[in-house]
Amino acid sequence: MPDTAGPALHAVLLFLLELGLLGAAGFWALTVFSSPWAAVVAVIVVAAGWGLLLSLKAPARPPWPWHAVAAHVLFVLGAVVLFAVGQPLIAAVYLALILVSVALTVVHRDRVGRAAERSHESAVPSGRRAAGR
């Protein structure tokens, strides 16, 4: 496998875990409130929170190690929610994928940390326009 295949597969796994978190929020709201509108609102709230705090270009994104910790803690909370609403098999599969993601994060931590720093640096304006000329 090429050198970039591992991080690329990890990125795909993280995206699937994000979708799983949205699904868990929606399923929880649908189960608890018995309303499709509650599910829609729950998904929107989780997606907005993720976009503001943990997405790649989030305005309030925490620095590298804390971003990974926060994301995986939210994923685990999604697994707990799935278990709580009576979906233990789906919760177990989701939790297994989370553990794989944690392992890949540890294995690729240097590369992921550098990539996070580069994306943050690219968001900072530079050049003549930033200097006000």
Side-chain angles (χ1 to χ4, degrees):
M1 255 200 288
D3 190 36
T4 59
L9 289 174
H10 188 215
V12 169
L13 177 60
L14 286 171
F15 177 68
L16 293 175
L17 289 173
E18 291 172 25
L19 291 178
L21 180 64
L22 293 174
F27 192 74
W28 170 81
L30 186 62
T31 303
V32 171
F33 299 108
S34 302
S35 167
W37 290 109
V40 169
V41 169
V43 169
I44 289 172
V45 167
V46 171
W50 187 275
L52 290 172
L53 299 173
L54 295 173
S55 71
L56 189 58
K57 299 205 178 198
R61 183 180 170 131
W64 149 240
W66 301 113
H67 169 265
V69 169
H72 285 93
V73 165
L74 284 176
F75 295 151
V76 169
L77 286 175
V80 169
V81 163
L82 286 170
F83 185 76
V85 294
Q87 297 296 323
L89 181 61
I90 296 172
V93 170
Y94 189 59
L95 192 58
L97 292 174
I98 294 166
L99 293 175
V100 170
S101 176
V102 168
L104 289 173
T105 300
V106 169
V107 168
H108 298 294
R109 66 182 172 264
D110 294 334
R111 181 175 292 163
V112 173
R114 284 193 306 264
E117 289 171 3
R118 277 195 306 268
S119 71
H120 179 67
E121 290 171 1
S122 66
V124 176
S126 61
R128 286 188 287 188
R129 288 185 182 172
R133 294 181 189 173

